[in-house]
mmCIF file of all heavy atoms in Angstrom:
data_model
loop_
_atom_site.group_PDB
_atom_site.id
_atom_site.type_symbol
_atom_site.label_atom_id
_atom_site.label_comp_id
_atom_site.label_asym_id
_atom_site.label_seq_id
_atom_site.Cartn_x
_atom_site.Cartn_y
_atom_site.Cartn_z
ATOM 1 N N GLY J 26 -71.766 -35.016 -92.707
ATOM 2 C CA GLY J 26 -72.678 -36.148 -92.532
ATOM 3 C C GLY J 26 -73.743 -36.215 -93.603
ATOM 4 O O GLY J 26 -74.179 -37.293 -93.992
ATOM 5 N N ALA J 29 -71.700 -37.642 -96.837
ATOM 6 C CA ALA J 29 -70.885 -38.842 -96.694
ATOM 7 C C ALA J 29 -71.754 -40.045 -96.346
ATOM 8 O O ALA J 29 -72.850 -39.893 -95.846
ATOM 9 C CB ALA J 29 -69.816 -38.642 -95.623
ATOM 10 N N VAL J 31 -70.698 -42.449 -94.367
ATOM 11 C CA VAL J 31 -70.424 -42.882 -92.986
ATOM 12 C C VAL J 31 -71.404 -42.258 -91.998
ATOM 13 O O VAL J 31 -71.842 -41.121 -92.169
ATOM 14 C CB VAL J 31 -68.975 -42.519 -92.565
ATOM 15 C CG1 VAL J 31 -67.993 -43.530 -93.107
ATOM 16 C CG2 VAL J 31 -68.634 -41.102 -92.975
ATOM 17 N N ARG J 78 -94.974 -12.966 -75.643
ATOM 18 C CA ARG J 78 -95.062 -14.367 -75.209
ATOM 19 C C ARG J 78 -95.856 -14.557 -73.917
ATOM 20 O O ARG J 78 -96.348 -15.642 -73.654
ATOM 21 C CB ARG J 78 -93.651 -14.919 -75.016
ATOM 22 C CG ARG J 78 -92.908 -15.094 -76.341
ATOM 23 C CD ARG J 78 -91.486 -15.557 -76.093
ATOM 24 N NE ARG J 78 -90.839 -15.954 -77.337
ATOM 25 C CZ ARG J 78 -90.081 -15.144 -78.077
ATOM 26 N NH1 ARG J 78 -89.879 -13.895 -77.705
ATOM 27 N NH2 ARG J 78 -89.536 -15.589 -79.194
ATOM 28 N N ASP J 82 -103.841 -9.698 -75.818
ATOM 29 C CA ASP J 82 -104.590 -8.436 -75.972
ATOM 30 C C ASP J 82 -103.760 -7.192 -75.630
ATOM 31 O O ASP J 82 -104.313 -6.188 -75.167
ATOM 32 C CB ASP J 82 -105.852 -8.424 -75.072
ATOM 33 C CG ASP J 82 -106.821 -9.535 -75.449
ATOM 34 O OD1 ASP J 82 -106.528 -10.254 -76.440
ATOM 35 O OD2 ASP J 82 -107.837 -9.695 -74.766
ATOM 36 N N ALA J 97 -88.199 4.653 -75.966
ATOM 37 C CA ALA J 97 -87.314 3.896 -75.073
ATOM 38 C C ALA J 97 -88.081 3.295 -73.897
ATOM 39 O O ALA J 97 -87.565 2.431 -73.194
ATOM 40 C CB ALA J 97 -86.189 4.782 -74.558
ATOM 41 N N GLU J 123 -83.584 0.625 -85.389
ATOM 42 C CA GLU J 123 -84.459 0.571 -84.223
ATOM 43 C C GLU J 123 -83.730 1.003 -82.949
ATOM 44 O O GLU J 123 -84.306 1.631 -82.061
ATOM 45 C CB GLU J 123 -85.037 -0.842 -84.041
ATOM 46 C CG GLU J 123 -86.277 -0.850 -83.149
ATOM 47 C CD GLU J 123 -86.596 -2.209 -82.538
ATOM 48 O OE1 GLU J 123 -85.913 -3.194 -82.838
ATOM 49 O OE2 GLU J 123 -87.540 -2.246 -81.725
ATOM 50 N N GLY J 136 -90.520 9.828 -71.490
ATOM 51 C CA GLY J 136 -90.717 8.396 -71.298
ATOM 52 C C GLY J 136 -91.180 8.103 -69.880
ATOM 53 O O GLY J 136 -92.121 7.324 -69.657
ATOM 54 N N PRO J 161 -79.582 0.993 -69.980
ATOM 55 C CA PRO J 161 -78.257 1.395 -69.503
ATOM 56 C C PRO J 161 -78.371 2.561 -68.527
ATOM 57 O O PRO J 161 -77.472 2.810 -67.740
ATOM 58 C CB PRO J 161 -77.530 1.846 -70.767
ATOM 59 C CG PRO J 161 -78.367 1.410 -71.914
ATOM 60 C CD PRO J 161 -79.769 1.267 -71.405
ATOM 61 N N LYS J 189 -102.004 2.623 -55.458
ATOM 62 C CA LYS J 189 -102.896 1.658 -54.820
ATOM 63 C C LYS J 189 -103.257 0.508 -55.750
ATOM 64 O O LYS J 189 -104.418 0.274 -56.070
ATOM 65 C CB LYS J 189 -104.124 2.382 -54.282
ATOM 66 C CG LYS J 189 -103.768 3.114 -53.003
ATOM 67 C CD LYS J 189 -104.653 4.270 -52.685
ATOM 68 C CE LYS J 189 -103.964 5.240 -51.740
ATOM 69 N NZ LYS J 189 -102.820 5.969 -52.379
ATOM 70 N N GLY J 201 -80.015 -0.045 -65.026
ATOM 71 C CA GLY J 201 -79.056 1.050 -65.000
ATOM 72 C C GLY J 201 -79.513 2.200 -64.131
ATOM 73 O O GLY J 201 -80.184 3.124 -64.576
ATOM 74 N N PRO J 227 -70.608 -0.503 -64.464
ATOM 75 C CA PRO J 227 -69.249 -0.881 -64.067
ATOM 76 C C PRO J 227 -68.191 0.011 -64.741
ATOM 77 O O PRO J 227 -67.212 0.398 -64.106
ATOM 78 C CB PRO J 227 -69.134 -2.327 -64.544
ATOM 79 C CG PRO J 227 -70.535 -2.845 -64.545
ATOM 80 C CD PRO J 227 -71.395 -1.669 -64.910
ATOM 81 N N ARG J 282 -90.926 -19.147 -67.956
ATOM 82 C CA ARG J 282 -90.508 -19.077 -66.555
ATOM 83 C C ARG J 282 -90.923 -17.744 -65.929
ATOM 84 O O ARG J 282 -91.392 -17.702 -64.793
ATOM 85 C CB ARG J 282 -88.981 -19.190 -66.441
ATOM 86 C CG ARG J 282 -88.442 -20.536 -66.902
ATOM 87 C CD ARG J 282 -86.920 -20.511 -66.870
ATOM 88 N NE ARG J 282 -86.387 -21.679 -67.559
ATOM 89 C CZ ARG J 282 -85.311 -22.338 -67.165
ATOM 90 N NH1 ARG J 282 -84.634 -21.950 -66.101
ATOM 91 N NH2 ARG J 282 -84.878 -23.386 -67.838
ATOM 92 N N GLU J 285 -94.666 -17.660 -65.290
ATOM 93 C CA GLU J 285 -95.046 -18.501 -64.149
ATOM 94 C C GLU J 285 -94.781 -17.765 -62.837
ATOM 95 O O GLU J 285 -95.631 -17.713 -61.942
ATOM 96 C CB GLU J 285 -94.240 -19.807 -64.232
ATOM 97 C CG GLU J 285 -94.813 -20.967 -63.474
ATOM 98 C CD GLU J 285 -94.143 -21.123 -62.109
ATOM 99 O OE1 GLU J 285 -92.914 -20.969 -62.017
ATOM 100 O OE2 GLU J 285 -94.873 -21.377 -61.146
ATOM 101 N N MET J 288 -97.065 -14.655 -62.292
ATOM 102 C CA MET J 288 -98.440 -15.041 -61.936
ATOM 103 C C MET J 288 -98.521 -15.443 -60.474
ATOM 104 O O MET J 288 -99.467 -15.093 -59.766
ATOM 105 C CB MET J 288 -98.930 -16.158 -62.846
ATOM 106 C CG MET J 288 -99.402 -15.600 -64.190
ATOM 107 S SD MET J 288 -99.891 -16.870 -65.361
ATOM 108 C CE MET J 288 -101.218 -17.657 -64.494
#
Side-chain angles (χ1 to χ4, degrees):
Chain J
V31 280
R78 290 176 170 94
D82 298 357
E123 199 201 356
K189 283 156 201 69
R282 295 175 192 217
E285 201 262 319
M288 280 176 61

